[in-house]
Amino acid sequence: MFRRILTHRVAIVGAAVPVVGYGYYWYNQPHKPIMDNNRPPPLWTPPSRKEMLEGLKRAGRDGEELDLFIIGGGATGAGVAVDAASRGLKVGLVERDDFSSGTSSKSTKLVHGGVRYLQKAVMELDYEQYKLVKEALRERRVFLSTAPYLSSMLPIMLPLNHWWQLPYYYAGTKMYDFLAGGENMASSYIMFKDRALEAFPMLKPDNIVGAIVYYDGQHNDSRMNMALVLTAVHYGALVANHTEVVKLNKTPNPNGGEPQVTGVRVRDNMTGEEWDVKAKGVINATGPFSDGVRELDDPGVKPIVAPSGGVHITLPNYYSPRTMGLIDPNTSDGRVVFFLPWQGNTIAGTTDSPVPVEHEPKPKEEEIEWILDEIRRYLSPDIQVRRGDVLSAWSGIRPLVRDPGAKNTESLVRNHMINVSPAGLLTIAGGKWTTYREMAEETVDTAVKTYGLTPKSECITQNVRLVGSHGWTDTMFIKLIQRYGLETEVAKHLSNTYGDRAWTVCSLAEPTGLHWPLHGRRISELYPYIDAEVLYAMRNEYALTAVDVIARRTRLSFLNAQAALDALPTVIGLMGDELGWSVKRRRQEWINARNFLDSMGLSDNEATRTPPALIGGPSWLQRFSDILTAKKIGTKPGGKYSRATFSSEELERLKKVYDAREDKVKPLEIGELKQVLEAMGFKDIQPAVLATMGPELINRENKTLEWEEFLDACANLKELSFREGTPLEIASGSALAKARKMIPVEKSGGGV
């Protein structure tokens, strides 16, 4: 962040504050809302991985080829796939491991312009840093709008240790506001000491004279990555995880010169099968591994990526307030540490040091201790900062673009770079999460020009809302509680993780058999992840391994590595039954997941390295028994208490009933209600039944009946008449009226 500067510089920036403030006021106009009418249907299920692989195989046959083939399923690759597919191009994407398995799931979880980069831009007159901040701030607002259920605004406190820091820090944050312009979130402001300690009571009171608060964004990175992948699939992209490019295929150049890349040879790492895929253009979006793919094109190529390691640790939630982050600009060696609430815990980091490129880098103990030492410097002595409080730790590799003149990684800029080799391999490297969309736009623009493609439209991703966003509101969790009888914490988690897809997740949840909650059996007692999420991950999000689930579909391993280990028997049991795993495969999944958790800071306990059945002891035997015999739940897509109970035919019939109503404000009539019930498969409907069920749809108080509301009400009607999952032939209203009297109790939030 900002350090001590010369007096004349303080005077200059102090005088600039009024000008910056006035310019900010003048320039800060409301942002353009995100609008996207190309939305998936409410119960859209993406094609299976098998169907995706078949599509990629067809693209290798005579006469068929893709427009673009993307290597890498992280933020950049998925962003490029969304951009290209939404322009109408034929797109394929593969990821060697799992979507977001590398850097894209190991970020600081911030959507930010980079306050520390702004400092370098000002102090060192570095125009490249300035451009990076300007670009990131412009993209920040779009980022938060495309998937609002996954990201949010976060106030971040900048503590002041001396009064002389105030004008400089304040000018810096106001410049940050000003550069954001019309895309700014909220204005930074000053806090005096008492107010700062009230907002962040964990701070040392002796070390603080006040604080400045500015705003950035925060998100759930691997879930955002998954939303991008599913959005690309919705637009027609073919995607496959655990699928590796082993060779770049080339054909002679008709104009002479270097043979051109016209496809790839891929291998399904789950089966070992290999085949060729043809494409007009191939894009390398593999982050830290970019140079490895470039070497497939030219073994003697010079590297363009300088990998830098960043370590983060997860601490219990009592280390920070739930709604305020903190940045420490005065660390012992000049690096910056963020201290942020995230997913109910606290994350702290990051370090910045050169590292080799590894598949699953492990955090070094000295870097964990360095972060803990820095935390001790600014937290109250009443808080004993202990190594044992580290619940999880991870190391991510940042793909910084190499500057040949740079002497250390701190001089490296995170700007992205697009490179097209003589053979036509297009590489996009560098950048960061916040700017993924603009990087993707520039990449596809370059690809269109390089490969002579003809998209159906220009870039539209500024106005594309990602899958899960269309039917989501910040109060949707209340409907989930009322419909399924979920714990409030679980309902909020599902809403903020899956958006409007939470309805489908809940439809897979079996009853708990308890008075409360009615649904939602946790896979870990400490966190709100439920068993239905494991099934949903396999059926709707291409999860193929236990690590896919505990690390990226859920974030359990990032929040608490030991809790992830404890949940493994349940996860492997559910996946094994769903996917038909043998005992040998289940044991191997345990070993693979246990090895992965080493990279997440799990303590080195040899007793947990062997699958439980081989260890002995009743508790471990029972846990391994859970792996082998865990009950398969929710086997029918949809489930019993959801809109997902509607078949596609029923949805089509209901849509016809809804569309036939020209006046959507006019109250629903009894005759129309009968049509609704018949569309759901009910027959022999008696007038008494219609009188009992009518209020669900008829009493609208002159409000427009939207399609989503109509569908919700229809689901309410249907679930009142379910018995063993089968619609009844309604002969009288007595049983239904009796059931109706019970419903409010079951949905009231615990029978209160």
Side-chain angles (χ1 to χ4, degrees):
M1 188 58 187
F2 302 106
R3 304 177 187 174
R4 183 188 301 271
I5 61 172
L6 297 177
T7 304
H8 71 277
R9 286 191 177 180
V10 174
I12 291 172
V13 295
V17 170
V19 177
V20 171
Y22 178 77
Y24 168 75
Y25 173 80
W26 177 263
Y27 192 63
N28 187 18
Q29 299 298 322
H31 70 281
K32 180 181 178 181
I34 297 293
M35 301 296 292
D36 176 28
N37 294 323
N38 190 342
R39 56 185 296 182
L43 305 177
W44 175 72
T45 299
S48 67
R49 182 174 183 270
K50 180 180 179 181
E51 293 173 298
M52 292 293 180
L53 294 178
E54 286 299 322
L56 290 173
K57 290 174 183 177
R58 286 195 300 271
R61 297 169 186 161
D62 292 339
E64 294 193 42
E65 66 176 350
L66 300 171
D67 291 316
L68 291 175
F69 186 90
I70 303 163
I71 310 173
T76 305
V80 172
V82 171
D83 190 294
S86 63
R87 298 194 198 194
L89 297 174
K90 295 172 63 177
V91 178
L93 178 149
V94 297
E95 163 60 43
R96 178 182 63 182
D97 190 6
D98 184 32
F99 305 120
S100 194
S101 58
T103 306
S104 296
S105 64
K106 298 179 178 180
S107 70
T108 311
K109 324 303 180 190
L110 284 177
V111 186
H112 64 132
V115 172
R116 55 178 170 161
Y117 304 136
L118 180 58
Q119 177 217 7
K120 285 191 175 185
V122 174
M123 299 300 295
E124 301 174 12
L125 300 179
D126 189 331
Y127 183 64
E128 289 299 315
Q129 296 280 10
Y130 170 82
K131 285 198 305 181
L132 174 63
V133 175
K134 181 71 174 175
E135 171 188 315
L137 287 173
R138 184 174 62 248
E139 288 296 311
R140 185 181 63 178
R141 174 63 76 176
V142 177
F143 191 112
L144 296 180
S145 301
T146 54
Y149 65 97
L150 288 171
S151 54
S152 61
M153 184 170 62
L154 178 70
I156 300 177
M157 179 183 292
L158 174 60
L160 301 175
N161 304 116
H162 308 281
W163 282 115
W164 62 262
Q165 295 173 319
L166 176 60
Y168 181 52
Y169 284 15
Y170 188 65
T173 55
K174 281 303 176 185
M175 183 179 295
Y176 196 62
D177 294 343
F178 176 71
L179 288 178
E183 309 300 334
N184 195 43
M185 298 175 168
S187 296
S188 54
Y189 59 92
I190 297 172
M191 270 188 177
F192 292 104
K193 180 176 180 176
D194 291 345
R195 180 80 183 279
L197 290 175
E198 181 182 353
F200 213 116
M202 300 82 174
L203 294 177
K204 282 183 181 177
D206 297 339
N207 289 2
I208 184 173
V209 298
I212 293 175
V213 176
Y214 71 96
Y215 288 83
D216 260 325
Q218 189 178 54
H219 74 134
N220 188 336
D221 49 13
S222 73
R223 294 299 316 173
M224 181 73 178
N225 204 137
M226 196 69 239
L228 286 168
V229 168
L230 293 177
T231 303
V233 170
H234 169 60
Y235 277 101
L238 300 169
V239 305
N241 53 346
H242 298 284
T243 306
E244 183 176 2
V245 170
V246 295
K247 179 184 177 183
L248 298 178
N249 295 330
K250 297 183 179 181
T251 58
N253 189 335
N255 300 321
E258 185 84 17
Q260 296 297 292
V261 175
T262 54
V264 296
R265 185 161 188 81
V266 300
R267 177 173 60 226
D268 180 356
N269 286 335
M270 305 305 293
T271 64
E273 181 184 5
E274 295 186 6
W275 68 93
D276 293 324
V277 178
K278 296 178 182 178
K280 296 175 183 176
V282 176
I283 296 176
N284 171 19
T286 53
F289 304 95
S290 296
D291 289 326
V293 175
R294 293 174 70 238
E295 289 173 359
L296 294 177
D297 177 30
D298 178 5
V301 71
K302 293 183 178 180
I304 63 172
V305 172
S308 172
V311 171
H312 297 79
I313 63 174
T314 305
L315 298 165
N317 58 12
Y318 52 75
Y319 270 84
S320 69
R322 294 299 83 215
T323 57
M324 177 77 73
L326 181 142
I327 180 173
D328 178 11
N330 297 312
T331 62
S332 57
D333 62 2
R335 289 183 287 184
V336 172
V337 168
F338 286 97
F339 197 64
L340 309 167
W342 185 72
Q343 299 289 303
N345 280 359
T346 300
I347 60 173
T350 177
T351 61
D352 191 6
S353 56
V355 293
V357 175
E358 299 177 83
H359 181 53
E360 287 178 357
K362 296 180 181 180
K364 295 180 181 179
E365 186 62 30
E366 56 266 29
E367 294 187 314
I368 294 175
E369 287 294 343
W370 180 82
I371 295 174
L372 292 174
D373 286 341
E374 296 304 322
I375 292 172
R376 292 185 185 104
R377 292 176 62 236
Y378 57 81
L379 288 192
S380 169
D382 293 340
I383 302 174
Q384 185 181 0
V385 181
R386 306 172 299 181
R387 176 61 176 86
D389 285 342
V390 177
L391 303 176
S392 182
W394 68 90
S395 177
I397 302 178
R398 302 185 183 98
L400 306 184
V401 177
R402 181 180 296 277
D403 178 359
K407 296 180 180 180
N408 54 61
T409 59
E410 290 186 4
S411 300
L412 294 171
V413 180
R414 292 195 194 183
N415 281 346
H416 59 274
M417 174 167 45
I418 298 175
N419 172 268
V420 181
S421 74
L425 174 67
L426 193 158
T427 298
I428 169 67
K432 60 179 183 175
W433 246 118
T434 307
T435 58
Y436 85 89
R437 192 211 63 81
E438 184 173 57
M439 292 165 59
E441 180 179 352
E442 291 184 22
T443 300
V444 177
D445 285 344
T446 303
V448 168
K449 185 182 299 184
T450 301
Y451 306 125
L453 306 177
T454 54
K456 296 179 181 178
S457 69
E458 297 295 323
C459 176
I460 62 171
T461 52
Q462 284 198 34
N463 299 321
V464 169
R465 304 196 81 177
L466 303 186
V467 164
S469 301
H470 297 88
W472 178 84
T473 66
D474 54 8
T475 58
M476 193 188 85
F477 75 94
I478 298 174
K479 287 187 176 182
L480 296 177
I481 295 172
Q482 293 173 333
R483 177 71 60 80
Y484 298 98
L486 301 171
E487 296 173 272
T488 300
E489 183 186 15
V490 170
K492 286 184 176 180
H493 153 68
L494 295 176
S495 174
N496 295 334
T497 300
Y498 301 95
D500 61 22
R501 305 290 142 182
W503 293 104
T504 305
V505 178
C506 290
S507 73
L508 302 176
E510 286 283 300
T512 62
L514 304 174
H515 176 66
W516 192 262
L518 301 180
H519 295 84
R521 292 186 291 194
R522 299 191 184 210
I523 62 175
S524 170
E525 294 180 0
L526 300 175
Y527 297 94
Y529 301 109
I530 62 173
D531 48 11
E533 294 179 75
V534 182
L535 296 176
Y536 182 81
M538 291 182 286
R539 297 177 185 177
N540 294 270
E541 295 184 342
Y542 308 113
L544 299 177
T545 71
V547 174
D548 293 350
V549 171
I550 64 172
R552 293 172 288 272
R553 303 310 183 277
T554 72
R555 309 313 309 276
L556 191 52
S557 66
F558 283 81
L559 293 172
N560 190 321
Q562 183 61 51
L565 181 69
D566 293 339
L568 267 181
T570 300
V571 172
I572 294 175
L574 291 168
M575 297 188 74
D577 286 340
E578 176 78 10
L579 301 176
W581 288 348
S582 65
V583 173
K584 180 180 179 180
R585 171 66 188 275
R586 296 177 195 228
R587 291 182 177 182
Q588 188 60 50
E589 284 293 322
W590 173 276
I591 295 171
N592 292 346
R594 178 59 184 83
N595 291 339
F596 166 78
L597 289 173
D598 280 346
S599 70
M600 300 303 298
L602 186 67
S603 59
D604 191 10
N605 182 357
E606 190 61 35
T608 66
R609 294 195 173 278
T610 309
L614 305 182
I615 293 177
S619 62
W620 284 100
L621 286 173
Q622 181 59 49
R623 288 171 66 182
F624 193 63
S625 174
D626 292 341
I627 292 178
L628 299 180
T629 63
K631 183 181 178 182
K632 191 173 183 180
I633 67 172
T635 54
K636 294 182 180 180
K640 189 173 179 181
Y641 294 99
S642 169
R643 294 178 294 173
T645 56
F646 298 128
S647 66
S648 58
E649 292 79 14
E650 286 175 327
L651 280 173
E652 185 176 355
R653 291 196 296 268
L654 286 172
K655 195 68 167 65
K656 288 180 179 178
V657 175
Y658 177 81
D659 290 340
R661 303 188 70 244
E662 296 181 358
D663 185 357
K664 299 297 190 298
V665 178
K666 181 181 177 182
L668 203 71
E669 297 176 352
I670 291 293
E672 292 173 312
L673 178 58
K674 185 175 181 180
Q675 292 178 338
V676 168
L677 293 169
E678 289 174 345
M680 293 190 293
F682 298 109
K683 55 185 179 180
D684 299 328
I685 305 167
Q686 301 298 315
V689 175
L690 294 177
T692 302
M693 304 177 82
E696 287 286 348
L697 285 171
I698 293 176
N699 296 334
R700 296 294 306 165
E701 298 181 355
N702 295 323
K703 295 180 181 178
T704 301
L705 181 63
E706 302 289 349
W707 164 243
E708 292 286 337
E709 296 173 312
F710 177 85
L711 201 59
D712 281 342
C714 291
N716 285 336
L717 295 180
K718 191 168 186 180
E719 69 185 50
L720 291 179
S721 304
F722 259 116
R723 182 177 298 163
E724 301 301 324
T726 304
L728 297 173
E729 294 184 7
I730 303 175
S732 70
S734 57
L736 182 61
K738 182 178 179 181
R740 176 177 294 282
K741 292 178 181 178
M742 297 173 58
I743 291 299
V745 177
E746 294 179 352
K747 293 183 177 181
S748 65
V752 180

